[in-house]
Amino acid sequence: MSTDFKDHWESTYKRKSVSGLGWYEKNPAPSLKLLQQCKLSRDDSIVDIGTGASTFIDSLVEAGFKNITAVDISKTAIKKLKDRLGREKASNIKWIIEDITKPEIIFNSGEFFLWHDRAILHFLTDSNDSSTYLSVLKKLLKKNGFAIISTFSLKGAPKCSGLNVRRYDQTSLAAFLGNEFELLDHFDFLYTMPNGDTRPYIYTLFQRR
Ligand SMILES: C[S@@+](CC[C@H](N)C(=O)[O-])C[C@H]1O[C@@H](n2cnc3c(N)ncnc32)[C@H](O)[C@@H]1O
């Protein structure tokens, strides 16, 4: 992924308030629904890829999860999320500012029991980028670990944040992940943006065999 993408995300998070972003969720209910099914212990390691300034992290902290890693290409996004959480809560999270298509630091984080991605995979339209994403996922997700992956669905818009996206359904996501992953659950979700427009997403839960 080129530096243009990094600049894009930096300027997006600098220009806009978090609650005005076209993917802001006051309550990340669809992700939490799938998280519940994983029946994780509060010590299990969780990584949120492309975390942005997501309220999913606040929910994990509120629920008592103790081993959380948040990864994003944008340092501005991470700063906004840290500021919202406050110093004490933020200090208990591992923060990684990195492009997932150029992974380095993330390999020092140990393995994860849950990989959560809402709306980053769909930006990896270049097959080299998506295959790097998959190789990181395979390297870092434990056996029997879970992956919650959410993207624009086949009915979704062709662009998000002004960038082209690749849309998926549960079948194409399962094909992308391959035989090592079992699809446990999936559902369509119609997300309402802060401006009132809607965006159809697909949510999937996979378990590594
Ligand atoms: C549509 S936003 C979703 C943010 C968050 N997951 C949420 O649900 O609110 C996509 C996020 O992915 C991040 N991102 C995009 N490309 C990335 C990459 N190659 N590596 C890491 N993060 C990336 C962006 O900075 C942005 O925060």
Side-chain angles (χ1 to χ4, degrees), residues 42-80:
R42 293 308 186 249
D43 293 318
D44 282 331
S45 48
I46 299 176
V47 64
D48 190 25
I49 301 291
T51 200
S54 172
T55 52
F56 182 64
I57 298 292
D58 309 53
S59 298
L60 291 176
V61 172
E62 285 304 311
F65 287 101
K66 298 185 183 74
N67 193 345
I68 305 167
T69 301
V71 183
D72 203 277
I73 198 170
S74 164
K75 64 172 192 274
T76 305
I78 296 274
K79 182 174 183 322
K80 288 193 173 188

Side-chain angles (χ1 to χ4, degrees), residues 153-208:
S153 77
L154 295 183
K155 294 181 216 140
K159 286 184 184 254
C160 177
S161 185
L163 301 175
N164 289 330
V165 297
R166 175 166 177 204
R167 291 163 289 182
Y168 291 87
D169 62 7
Q170 69 278 10
T171 308
S172 54
L173 277 170
F176 169 69
L177 292 179
N179 290 338
E180 274 178 61
F181 292 84
E182 181 187 358
L183 179 64
L184 299 183
D185 197 6
H186 65 90
F187 55 84
D188 290 313
F189 180 78
L190 190 61
Y191 165 70
T192 303
M193 297 164 71
N195 68 5
D197 289 352
T198 53
R199 292 285 180 271
Y201 280 69
I202 173 90
Y203 277 79
T204 55
L205 172 63
F206 290 89
Q207 185 167 27
R208 190 166 201 177

Side-chain angles (χ1 to χ4, degrees), residues 24 37 47 49 66 79 88 99 106 116 130 133 143-144 148 150 170 173-174 197-198:
Y24 172 73
Q37 294 182 42
V47 64
I49 301 291
K66 298 185 183 74
K79 182 174 183 322
E88 195 183 328
D99 180 343
I106 195 169
H116 177 264
S130 56
Y133 171 103
K143 191 170 176 335
N144 299 321
I148 294 173
S150 162
Q170 69 278 10
L173 277 170
D197 289 352
T198 53

